[in-house]
Amino acid sequence: NLDPLRPKAGDGDAINWLEGKDAAYALEIANKPNVGKPVLLEFTSPACIWCARMERYTFRDREVVDLGRKFVCARLPFAKGSEDTKKYRVEGTPTYVILGKDGSEIARQTGFLPPTDFAPWLKGAAR
């Protein structure tokens, strides 16, 4: 259920995804002394319609974009058998995994989540 009254992110305001890197690189950034944030991994694939919906609705929501700044966000390709896909036990897309700076899993979600569900999930994991 998408709330048409929820504030949208401003033009040019978006989650700053690291793309073309792996989870280890995101953790490396998260552990820099001036960063110190948890990591949000998004496993996605070009054919994933739910990933496109996340991009179109959830990642255009102002609260979700604001919360995204509390994480090092990495968008990873889902490929069966790839190192990160195996390591984080990802079986489909989209899958979201939040890691502590030590690499331990804090939270996980699979599938499309509207901003009204995704924002509280991020909030809970950002503590």
Side-chain angles (χ1 to χ4, degrees), residues 1-125:
N1 99 25
L2 296 171
D3 182 350
L5 300 178
R6 270 183 81 82
K8 302 286 173 262
D11 290 346
D13 226 9
I15 290 185
N16 187 16
W17 295 104
L18 291 171
E19 298 196 54
K21 301 290 183 183
D22 60 9
Y25 180 80
L27 281 164
E28 203 177 298
I29 300 229
N31 280 291
K32 289 192 180 293
N34 60 335
V35 179
K37 299 176 182 180
V39 172
L40 169 63
L41 302 177
E42 178 192 44
F43 288 87
T44 184
S45 68
C48 169
I49 60 165
W50 296 109
C51 302
R53 284 188 70 134
M54 286 295 291
E55 189 61 39
R56 188 164 158 204
Y57 298 110
T58 305
F59 297 138
R60 295 298 313 134
D61 181 80
R62 185 185 306 156
E63 185 183 11
V64 170
V65 170
D66 288 347
L67 286 165
R69 293 186 182 100
K70 297 181 179 209
F71 298 86
V72 172
C73 301
R75 186 169 268 166
L76 306 175
F78 170 74
K80 279 207 186 300
S82 78
E83 196 174 311
D84 281 338
T85 300
K86 283 193 300 201
K87 181 175 183 178
Y88 297 104
R89 304 175 326 280
V90 177
E91 295 176 17
T93 58
T95 295
Y96 301 92
V97 180
I98 295 177
L99 306 175
K101 291 185 303 180
D102 63 355
S104 64
E105 185 174 316
I106 295 172
R108 162 185 302 261
Q109 283 286 349
T110 305
F112 173 78
L113 287 169
T116 48
D117 294 336
F118 200 76
W121 179 71
L122 284 177
K123 229 182 252 170

